[in-house]
Amino acid sequence: MRFWGVLMANSQNLAPSFCRFAWRMHERLSPERLSEEDKQRLFEIIHALLDAMNTGEVCVDLKRVTTPETFSSIKALLLRSRLAAEGEANDVLFVIDDNDRLYLHRFYRYEVRLAQRLKALKDHHYSLEDEAFHLDSLFKSLKNKHGVDMQALAVAVAQTSALTVISGGPGTGKTWTVVKILEALLLREPALRIAMCAPTGKAAARMSESVRNSLNGVTESVRARIPTKAQTVHRLLRQADPLPYDVVVLDEASMVSLELMARLVEHMPSRARLICLGDKDQLASVDPGAVFAELSQTFAFSEPALSRLNRLGFDTDSLKTVQNASLTQRWNLVDHTVWLTHSYRFDDQKGIGRLARFVREGLALDAVHQLDELDDHLAYYKLDECAQGLDASVESAIVEAYRPYFKAVNAYFAKECGLEEVFVALHRFGLLCALNEGPFGVDALNDLIVRTLQVDWPMTADGHFPGEVIMVAVNDQDLRLNNGDVGVVLKTPEGQLEAYFETVDEAGCQTYRPIPVGRLPEYKRAFAITIHKSQGSEYDRVMMVLPPVSKLLTRELCYTGITRAKHHLTVVATKDSIRRAVMTPTERISGLLTR
């Protein structure tokens, strides 16, 4: 494994190794020897940076990880050791920027290059006559009962912008909106080359399905030009440099790390459009960076943009009342971001929608009280503060929730249904956990389900069994599998076990690809998965299991788990863990906005 990959995988264990590497760099670059005391001080700063990056930070603020008394001496020591330099420099491990943020050199370069490319996109505009926006043919009205039609606004913004950022929760119509954007672009430029991508295979498959479902009503002359098959960002980047596309649509952008976003924009042609879709309130990438959350934090328009929107027919007075104008002086990504705020799936005054709104807005006590106001869409199992595991009633509810899937697999064995019915049954229920380990984690709940299944579906010598649900843990280019792809292990007519994965063929149709279990790359069982891994997925019913105490419980984690449910949510947690999670928003330090 590459050094940096190992480093980021386990900073706690590798910090000493990394420090030894740093000392060798110091001795090669600087004639001055470091005292043991200076080495210890540097070790503590390096360790702080590695720990921060292990939790998704890009950098650390030196003023936060030192005291006012030691800040100047630590900064001077970093520079004197020649391990770090101020600003861009070669042959150093670390960079200290103008705001005293400390970076690994590699991530500093990612951030600088991404900022430069995004600024170029932001500053490039397409001039259009008002009639060229095609809004009249795409929308009956630019208003709705909630005020300005934000979907129409997003279409208008994207016509003149090389960079468009659209943020909205589940059910707010992000995919439908981007299809309308593409329709408007293609009506004007029929030869546009368009790519659809997402950070994981599962998110790409979900995007493909959503696009196909959103094509009804699209102008016949351009419908065939809208791609119905999304691919992963990694697969897209393997095609060419620069990419052969005029428009790149990135879905689930909140999951994209700083490194991956930098690579994507650098591969794009200089005049190509980038359209980012995501949910600013969702979990950010597991890897360092929270690019989408930063790009979408401001929803505001300049006076020239408001004047143009007014000419197009938008009620700009209403728009001024909902835009987030307080940040326009600090961050100038105005005119490029649209928030879709109306959910067509949830009523934010009751049930799942109301709970999600309380969590999103940081209203911890209201969220806790909502757990007592249950309805047909929301259920709550109260955990004891000292619980060492789930009680029998919760375990029974989990097994019962998976019963339709068990029946579908048995029906497949009996040749009474096909693969489609098996996967439909699988996707109806999601068992989501905050952690992998422990009595409330993924491993324990997967073991529970496997024990139940062994009665009817005995395990083979290699540890597999028919009906097993697995999730690929690494990218495998040869097998065309990506980290996060979900498969079902089933027996062939010849008695062999193969894992079947959903895929979309060139015609945009759903199909299933078998891979012998002996050829599978690294994987994990996936009857239960983490909330992080559930991003990009939707389920009819969700059970979200949270431990009584964990530093990983955050507002974004809780919100993401809740909003995976389309029709019914069961929360298994203590009320105090919900309260603490809602009161703990994720804050990632970065210099992207100021750059």
Side-chain angles (χ1 to χ4, degrees):
M1 187 184 291
R2 290 160 45 197
F3 172 77
W4 290 110
V6 176
L7 173 67
M8 296 310 302
N10 195 335
S11 67
Q12 182 71 29
N13 294 333
L14 289 174
S17 300
F18 185 73
C19 285
R20 287 193 293 272
F21 177 75
W23 307 150
R24 289 197 297 272
M25 287 286 294
H26 160 73
E27 290 167 357
R28 182 166 65 86
L29 296 172
S30 174
E32 181 181 349
R33 307 290 292 184
L34 293 177
S35 68
E36 290 303 314
E37 180 182 358
D38 283 345
K39 285 185 178 182
Q40 180 60 33
R41 295 168 75 196
L42 286 176
F43 172 88
E44 292 169 0
I45 294 300
I46 293 172
H47 205 300
L49 176 58
L50 298 183
D51 276 350
M53 295 186 71
N54 220 24
T55 59
E57 302 279 11
V58 172
C59 57
V60 293
D61 185 340
L62 278 177
K63 291 179 180 177
R64 290 191 184 184
V65 297
T66 60
T67 65
E69 295 76 24
T70 62
F71 162 70
S72 296
S73 63
I74 289 291
K75 180 178 177 180
L77 178 59
L78 280 163
L79 297 174
R80 180 163 53 88
S81 70
R82 298 192 185 180
L83 293 174
E86 290 186 289
E88 183 57 42
N90 295 320
D91 212 15
V92 293
L93 290 177
F94 307 104
V95 171
I96 302 173
D97 75 356
D98 293 342
N99 290 282
D100 294 318
R101 290 179 289 250
L102 178 68
Y103 295 78
L104 283 175
H105 184 273
R106 173 188 178 196
F107 284 88
Y108 175 79
R109 289 297 304 142
Y110 284 143
E111 188 174 276
V112 169
R113 297 202 305 264
L114 176 60
Q116 291 170 343
R117 187 71 181 97
L118 289 175
K119 187 176 186 304
L121 287 169
K122 177 182 73 69
D123 292 343
H124 181 67
H125 296 277
Y126 299 88
S127 298
L128 290 179
E129 298 297 329
D130 291 350
E131 61 270 16
F133 283 80
H134 295 285
L135 293 175
D136 291 342
S137 63
L138 300 176
F139 297 92
K140 294 180 180 179
S141 171
L142 302 184
K143 301 179 182 179
N144 58 30
K145 63 180 180 180
H146 308 285
V148 176
D149 188 327
M150 294 299 175
Q151 293 175 312
L153 179 66
V155 173
V157 167
Q159 301 312 296
T160 56
S161 300
L163 174 64
T164 305
V165 179
I166 301 173
S167 176
T172 53
K174 294 188 292 294
T175 305
W176 187 89
T177 302
V178 84
V179 167
K180 286 297 177 185
I181 289 173
L182 298 178
E183 182 179 7
L185 292 174
L186 288 167
L187 285 171
R188 195 173 70 251
E189 299 179 64
L192 281 178
R193 300 164 299 171
I194 300 167
M196 301 270 201
C197 63
T200 67
K202 182 164 53 175
R206 173 68 187 141
M207 184 186 192
S208 301
E209 179 186 3
S210 297
V211 169
R212 291 196 300 273
N213 293 337
S214 300
L215 288 178
N216 290 335
V218 171
T219 307
E220 190 67 35
S221 61
V222 302
R223 184 181 301 175
R225 303 288 300 172
I226 297 177
T228 57
K229 183 177 181 179
Q231 55 192 311
T232 65
V233 179
H234 291 91
R235 186 170 294 171
L236 179 70
L237 293 177
R238 290 196 291 265
Q239 291 186 13
D241 186 8
L243 292 168
Y245 299 106
D246 305 301
V247 182
V248 175
V249 181
L250 173 63
D251 197 14
E252 296 292 350
S254 62
M255 300 168 62
V256 178
S257 66
L258 171 68
E259 176 182 358
L260 190 58
M261 185 69 85
R263 290 176 57 202
L264 176 62
V265 298
E266 288 188 323
H267 274 66
M268 289 176 55
S270 59
R271 296 302 183 188
R273 285 179 165 90
L274 175 63
I275 302 171
C276 294
L277 310 176
D279 185 346
K280 63 183 177 62
D281 300 305
Q282 246 186 231
L283 282 165
S285 165
V286 175
D287 295 319
V291 176
F292 184 79
E294 294 177 276
L295 296 183
S296 59
Q297 74 167 268
T298 300
F299 172 38
F301 293 90
S302 63
E303 287 302 323
L306 288 171
S307 177
R308 185 181 71 247
L309 292 171
N310 184 262
R311 292 197 309 272
L312 292 172
F314 287 96
D315 182 354
T316 51
D317 289 334
S318 295
L319 183 57
K320 289 178 182 179
T321 65
V322 297
Q323 68 179 10
N324 178 15
S326 61
L327 295 175
T328 55
Q329 298 303 312
R330 188 168 71 85
W331 169 234
N332 63 352
L333 191 65
V334 296
D335 305 341
H336 296 270
T337 303
V338 178
W339 292 350
L340 303 182
T341 54
H342 175 64
S343 175
Y344 297 90
R345 178 183 305 167
F346 299 130
D347 181 346
D348 67 3
Q349 298 304 313
K350 61 182 180 181
I352 300 173
R354 194 174 192 215
L355 178 62
R357 177 169 61 86
F358 288 152
V359 171
R360 183 181 67 242
E361 296 176 1
L363 303 174
L365 293 180
D366 290 321
V368 169
H369 291 155
Q370 182 64 31
L371 296 176
D372 293 324
E373 298 179 13
L374 307 180
D375 57 26
D376 293 340
H377 304 283
L378 184 61
Y380 173 56
Y381 281 94
K382 181 180 179 181
L383 277 182
D384 186 270
E385 292 285 348
C386 301
Q388 298 299 308
L390 301 176
D391 62 36
S393 61
V394 178
E395 291 185 348
S396 297
I398 291 172
V399 172
E400 194 58 35
Y402 258 114
R403 193 73 62 189
Y405 171 71
F406 302 160
K407 291 181 178 178
V409 173
N410 284 326
Y412 177 82
F413 293 158
K415 299 183 179 180
E416 295 172 357
C417 74
L419 284 170
E420 181 179 0
E421 288 81 359
V422 172
F423 276 92
V424 166
L426 175 64
H427 296 324
R428 283 183 179 144
F429 175 64
L431 179 56
L432 311 181
C433 307
L435 311 172
N436 278 302
E437 300 175 347
F440 307 99
V442 165
D443 296 341
L445 297 189
N446 275 311
D447 288 344
L448 164 68
I449 297 171
V450 170
R451 288 197 304 271
T452 302
L453 294 180
Q454 292 314 293
V455 176
D456 297 315
W457 303 342
M459 191 177 296
T460 61
D462 60 1
H464 290 286
F465 58 91
E468 181 182 19
V469 181
I470 62 171
M471 177 179 284
V472 176
V474 295
N475 294 327
D476 190 313
Q477 185 174 349
D478 294 334
L479 292 176
R480 292 181 289 124
L481 291 175
N482 295 288
N483 185 2
D485 286 352
V486 174
V488 174
V489 176
L490 296 169
K491 190 174 292 186
T492 67
E494 295 76 28
Q496 303 299 314
L497 290 181
E498 291 186 330
Y500 289 83
F501 293 87
E502 293 175 292
T503 187
V504 178
D505 62 21
E506 294 304 320
C509 298
Q510 186 79 57
T511 185
Y512 305 91
R513 191 162 58 91
I515 295 177
V517 294
R519 295 188 61 200
L520 288 172
E522 182 183 345
Y523 68 91
K524 290 191 69 172
R525 287 198 177 116
F527 292 100
I529 61 175
T530 62
I531 295 171
H532 272 94
K533 289 291 187 181
S534 74
Q535 289 179 271
S537 298
E538 294 177 343
Y539 308 91
D540 289 344
R541 305 173 66 86
V542 164
M543 179 179 287
M544 181 175 70
V545 180
L546 303 180
V549 178
S550 173
K551 292 188 295 185
L552 296 180
L553 295 182
T554 64
R555 180 182 303 170
E556 291 77 12
L557 183 91
C558 196
Y559 171 80
T560 302
I562 289 168
T563 54
R564 299 310 91 199
K566 293 168 64 175
H567 302 302
H568 190 275
L569 170 71
T570 300
V571 177
V572 182
T574 68
K575 289 185 177 180
D576 197 49
S577 65
I578 295 290
R579 181 186 61 80
R580 288 197 303 267
V582 177
M583 293 175 63
T584 310
T586 300
E587 295 181 1
R588 292 191 173 181
I589 298 173
S590 163
L592 182 64
L593 296 186
T594 55
R595 296 188 205 292

